[in-house]
């Protein structure tokens, strides 16, 4: 990450981390509100990701995400970015909870069965993050955006399931904060095309290219 | 590279990076400068970048080419010697490796030390002129047709910290006191070996790195061992034949399943390349490398399961059937080799909180 983007992300964490009475004014004051018009997409995506991580209730992503020609593709990429941000928070909450909650005389993260789940959660997040970053670098590629929504949508469902399983009953309550992110994950994975809709488009593309060109399609030639 | 591969001279196989042992192919590849390609020129390398090497590996794997003979030397023993070896060791082994004439096996696992590598019991005792080895290594791929084995041994007694007192030695597989017994895979292919040392004398100068530093050296190899494209492309040749069998109009269910695999593959490739970039930058992304191996090897198996449900194997073409049978019979190994996935997930989970 460039130094500039690191600063931008830091600012975003501060602004979205303490929602004011007038959240937009805070966002505006920090110079994040008009991000879409004068920044490259990777910067915009980094800030959208932070806004999802911090669980902001304002429709920040919708306001700053630039047009990409096709509204469905724009929406899918936007939701995929948000899913990654929310998943990173869900992962952090779950890792922290598994370290502090004790049962049978030891923290949950000492149980191998729980370790397996934590690793799977981390893997899904890493995979979705990579797919999204690749798509953000080339957002006009239908193939890359489709791959990002497929990866993010799958990771959203699996990630939320693991997070709730590890959190136990408390995570299933309204008073616990986990639902602020998991309910969004459930909504975002369905919006602008589910995994299966985007997978079908990808599969058609692969089939039309044919067996002998499969590798070229994978490497993006 | 693609022109070279199109010339052929080999039959496409699933899992060819570990089971396609063809010294002649390795030599032809080496002639073109594609073995040890990142190493310094004075050791027979080409001084190319890790990412250039990555691209070459991917092409070989996608084509299902028989690269197993030189794979270990190229992937980890060469880099290990470059990092920790003496000048004499580099001179002796690297140019021969880069010519595709010197093949290495990995002597890590033992009958009582599988995933629990630190419990190895093979001992090396310092004697006049070298080290005297006693013990047994097992599951060593291709030891019966390799020249040397990089071997993890205990050079001082087991103490409080199991990770202390381990060292790495280069052992001549045809040397005195070394016996190699092949163990067939369930398919009947000779692949694994049991390597027994009975007072095997290994010359002093075959110690790699510092005595007692073996654990740190071995774990530094593992990020290379776990994160490469061979961890998600072992069944790619079957995916190609699946696309061929389905044709240009795979139907709704076919397209969804293909697209799901494609999306997963594309993301895995991104993650693996990211680890390669970080390794090149001198970082130690051990956690990410373990994730690549866990996710990638499960994907390799998912390809097999999807393929058989989309294309009824009984009615498929000859190439599909052949690759499908190879993939099914080799799949149990995908999630075992290089550290079982369950152990890797434990490493990931413990690393997460830090």
């Amino acid at each position: 990450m460039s130094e500039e983007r690191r600063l931008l992300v830091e600012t975003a964490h501060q602004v979205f981390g303490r929602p004011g009475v007038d959240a937009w004014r805070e966002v505006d004051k920090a110079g994040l509100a008009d991000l879409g018009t004068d920044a490259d997409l990777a910067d915009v995506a980094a800030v959208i990701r932070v806004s999802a991580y911090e669980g902001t209730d304002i429709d920040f992503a919708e306001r700053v995400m630039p047009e990409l020609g096709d509204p469905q593709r724009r929406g899918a990429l936007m939701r995929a970015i948000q899913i990654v941000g929310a998943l990173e928070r869900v992962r952090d909450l779950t890792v922290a909870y598994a370290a502090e909650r004790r049962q049978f005389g030891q923290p949950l993260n000492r149980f191998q069965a729980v370790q397996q789940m934590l690793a799977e959660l981390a893997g899904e997040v890493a995979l979705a993050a990579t797919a999204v970053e690749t798509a953000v670098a080339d957002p006009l590629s239908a193939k890359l955006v489709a791959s990002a929504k497929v990866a993010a949508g799958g990771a959203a469902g699996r990630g939320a399931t693991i997070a709730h399983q590890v959190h136990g009953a408390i995570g299933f309550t309204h008073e616990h904060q986990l639902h602020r992110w998991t309910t969004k994950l459930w909504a975002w994975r369905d919006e602008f095309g589910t995994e299966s809709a985007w997978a079908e488009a990808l599969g058609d593309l692969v089939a039309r290219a044919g067996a002998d060109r499969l590798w070229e399609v994978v490497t993006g030639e | 590279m693609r022109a070279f591969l199109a010339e052929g001279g080999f039959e496409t196989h699933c899992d060819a990076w570990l089971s396609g042992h063809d010294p002649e192919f390795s030599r032809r590849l080496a002639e073109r400068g594609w073995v040890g390609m990142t190493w310094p020129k004075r050791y027979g390398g080409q001084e190319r970048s890790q990412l250039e090497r990555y691209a070459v590996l991917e092409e070989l794997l996608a084509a299902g080419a028989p690269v197993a003979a030189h794979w270990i030397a190229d992937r980890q023993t060469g880099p290990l010697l470059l990092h920790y070896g003496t000048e004499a060791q580099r001179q002796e082994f690297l140019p021969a490796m880069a010519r595709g004439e010197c093949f290495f096996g990995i002597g890590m696992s033992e009958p009582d030390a599988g995933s629990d590598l630190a419990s190895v019991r093979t001992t090396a005792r310092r004697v006049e002129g070298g080290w005297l080895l006693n013990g047994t290594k097992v599951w060593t791929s291709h030891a019966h047709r390799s020249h040397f084995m990089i071997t993890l041994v205990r050079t001082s007694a087991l103490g409080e910290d199991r990770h202390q007192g381990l060292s790495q030695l280069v052992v001549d597989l045809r040397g005195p006191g070394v016996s190699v017994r092949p163990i067939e895979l369930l398919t009947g292919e000779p692949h694994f070996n049991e390597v027994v040392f009975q007072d095997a004398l290994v010359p002093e100068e075959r110690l790699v790195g510092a005595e007692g530093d073996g654990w740190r050296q071995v774990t530094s190899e593992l990020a290379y061992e776990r994160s490469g494209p061979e961890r998600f492309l072992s069944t790619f040749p079957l995916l190609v034949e699946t696309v061929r069998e389905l044709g240009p109009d795979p139907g709704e269910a076919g397209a969804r399943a293909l697209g799901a695999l494609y999306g997963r593959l594309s993301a895995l490739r991104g993650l693996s390349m990211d680890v390669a970039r970080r390794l090149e930058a001198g970082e130690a992304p051990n956690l990410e490398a373990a994730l690549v191996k866990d996710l990638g090897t499960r994907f390799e198996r998912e390809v097999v399961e999807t393929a058989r449900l989309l294309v009824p194997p009984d009615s498929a073409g000859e190439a599909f059937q052949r690759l499908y049978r190879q993939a099914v019979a080799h799949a149990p190994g995908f999630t075992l080799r290089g550290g079982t996935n369950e152990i890797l997930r434990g490493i990931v989970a413990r690393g997460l909180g830090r």
Side-chain angles (χ1 to χ4, degrees):
Chain A
M1 202 187 286
S2 69
E3 198 44 42
E4 269 170 60
R5 188 167 309 149
R6 203 183 302 277
L7 278 172
L8 194 62
V9 162
E10 225 167 81
T11 310
H13 273 295
Q14 281 163 15
V15 174
F16 293 115
R18 48 166 169 74
V21 191
D22 186 351
W24 259 112
R25 220 190 55 187
E26 295 291 316
V27 170
D28 208 15
K29 244 175 30 192
L32 300 174
D34 51 12
L35 204 59
T37 53
D38 59 1
D40 73 29
L41 185 59
D43 285 340
V44 179
V47 178
I48 291 178
R49 197 157 147 178
V50 172
S51 73
Y53 182 92
E54 296 293 352
T56 180
D57 288 323
I58 57 176
D59 61 350
F60 176 77
E62 197 50 73
R63 301 219 358 208
V64 298
M65 186 75 186
E67 296 305 323
L68 296 173
D70 174 354
Q72 186 75 358
R73 189 167 66 218
R74 168 187 181 271
L77 183 55
M78 176 176 79
R79 288 292 185 253
I81 297 166
Q82 291 175 291
I83 283 173
V84 169
L87 269 176
E88 288 174 321
R89 184 58 171 265
V90 160
R91 176 199 60 201
D92 291 353
L93 289 171
T94 306
V95 167
Y97 185 76
E100 78 195 27
R101 169 72 173 169
R102 299 175 71 89
Q103 286 287 272
F104 301 100
Q106 57 181 352
L108 295 188
N109 67 11
R110 297 288 294 277
F111 293 90
Q112 290 191 356
V114 175
Q115 291 178 355
Q116 302 292 303
M117 288 195 283
L118 295 177
E120 191 181 345
L121 172 58
E124 290 294 333
V125 178
L127 213 51
T130 306
V132 165
E133 283 161 17
T134 311
V136 162
D138 186 4
L140 298 183
S141 160
K143 210 170 62 183
L144 293 181
V145 174
S147 294
K149 190 62 161 67
V150 169
R158 190 64 199 134
T161 300
I162 291 173
H164 277 294
Q165 188 67 18
V166 172
H167 274 85
I170 189 70
F172 190 42
T173 63
H174 191 264
E175 68 177 284
H176 191 279
Q177 59 176 341
L178 181 61
H179 67 81
R180 288 178 53 203
W181 289 275
T182 54
T183 51
K184 280 181 179 149
L185 288 173
W186 291 321
W188 288 340
R189 67 181 175 155
D190 292 343
E191 289 164 10
F192 299 102
T194 60
E195 299 93 277
S196 83
W198 284 105
E200 194 181 326
L202 268 179
D204 279 329
L205 201 141
V206 166
R208 276 199 306 276
D212 294 325
R213 287 201 49 228
L214 178 61
W215 183 241
E216 288 167 45
V217 176
V218 172
T219 57
E221 290 157 55
Chain B
M1 176 98 236
R2 286 189 185 157
F4 171 81
L5 290 171
E7 275 172 32
F10 65 90
E11 189 176 57
T12 297
H13 276 267
C14 279
D15 204 26
W17 69 271
L18 196 58
S19 60
H21 193 283
D22 181 348
E24 185 46 39
F25 185 81
S26 291
R27 270 187 288 272
R28 276 171 51 211
L29 207 59
E31 255 166 44
R32 308 284 184 113
W34 289 322
V35 177
M37 60 186 281
T38 61
W39 307 345
K41 287 188 173 151
R42 66 180 183 284
Y43 301 128
Q46 306 290 325
E47 304 189 1
R48 308 298 285 264
S49 73
Q50 289 294 342
L51 287 173
E52 285 173 301
R53 173 173 177 268
Y54 193 98
V56 164
L57 295 188
E58 278 195 325
E59 293 294 324
L60 290 165
L61 293 161
V67 290
H70 69 274
W71 193 265
I72 302 300
D74 178 75
R75 179 180 72 187
Q76 63 197 86
T77 319
L80 182 83
L81 292 177
L82 266 178
H83 203 115
Y84 297 106
T86 62
E87 183 57 29
Q89 287 169 347
R90 294 177 191 164
Q91 299 279 3
E92 180 178 2
F93 297 113
L94 295 176
M97 285 175 174
R99 286 194 305 271
E101 291 171 0
C102 177
F103 306 138
F104 267 71
I106 304 176
M108 292 195 194
S109 292
E110 295 185 5
D112 291 318
S115 291
D116 183 11
L117 184 60
S119 64
V120 294
R121 290 202 304 228
T122 296
T123 56
R125 191 162 52 88
R126 210 183 254 286
V127 292
E128 177 81 34
W131 302 88
L132 207 57
L133 264 64
N134 280 287
T136 303
K137 292 290 174 184
V138 77
W139 318 133
T140 313
S141 297
H142 307 300
H144 61 297
R145 42 195 172 187
S146 298
H147 306 97
F148 296 95
M149 181 166 79
I150 182 89
T151 310
L152 185 69
V153 296
R154 195 156 273 294
T155 41
S156 54
L158 186 65
E160 285 270 292
D161 183 352
R162 305 187 313 144
H163 299 143
Q164 300 286 325
L166 296 169
S167 305
Q168 286 184 296
L169 291 167
V170 173
V171 176
D172 183 344
L173 287 165
R174 289 168 186 76
V178 180
S179 54
V180 177
R181 185 179 70 86
I183 302 170
E184 292 176 352
L185 293 180
L186 60 83
T187 55
E189 298 159 78
H191 179 94
F192 288 139
N193 291 269
E194 180 186 60
V195 181
V196 179
F197 310 112
Q198 286 170 302
D199 284 338
L201 182 68
V202 175
E204 172 92 55
E205 64 273 15
R206 289 282 163 83
L207 174 73
V208 178
E211 182 184 341
D213 216 13
W215 184 258
R216 194 172 62 86
Q217 292 174 198
V218 158
T219 46
S220 79
E221 277 176 73
L222 293 177
Y224 290 93
E225 183 177 336
R226 289 172 176 161
S227 64
E230 74 271 31
R231 298 302 179 184
F232 57 89
L233 289 175
S234 300
T235 55
F236 186 79
L238 177 63
L239 185 57
V240 171
E241 286 314 307
T242 306
V243 172
R244 196 184 315 284
E245 292 285 338
L246 289 173
D249 183 16
E252 203 172 285
R256 275 183 193 168
L258 269 188
L261 288 179
Y262 176 87
R264 194 103 185 140
L265 172 57
S266 160
L268 277 166
R269 185 168 175 263
L271 197 59
S272 164
M273 289 172 84
D274 197 43
V275 174
R277 271 189 287 271
R278 294 179 57 182
L279 283 170
E280 177 137 57
E283 298 173 44
N286 295 337
L287 197 140
E288 291 79 1
L291 281 178
V292 170
K293 210 234 125 184
D294 179 30
L295 296 161
T297 52
R298 284 191 286 147
F299 166 79
E300 290 176 332
R301 195 172 288 156
E302 210 178 302
V303 168
V304 186
E305 289 307 304
T306 306
R308 65 177 274 273
L309 295 176
L310 287 178
V311 182
D314 286 351
S315 58
E318 193 272 325
F320 180 95
Q321 292 206 24
R322 188 175 58 80
L323 292 167
Y324 170 66
R325 281 195 302 268
Q326 286 166 3
V328 170
H330 281 246
F334 300 166
T335 47
L336 298 174
R337 59 201 186 194
T340 62
N341 286 37
E342 288 70 24
I343 295 299
L344 292 183
R345 277 184 233 138
I347 292 172
V348 170
R350 286 190 297 279
L352 278 174
R354 288 174 200 151

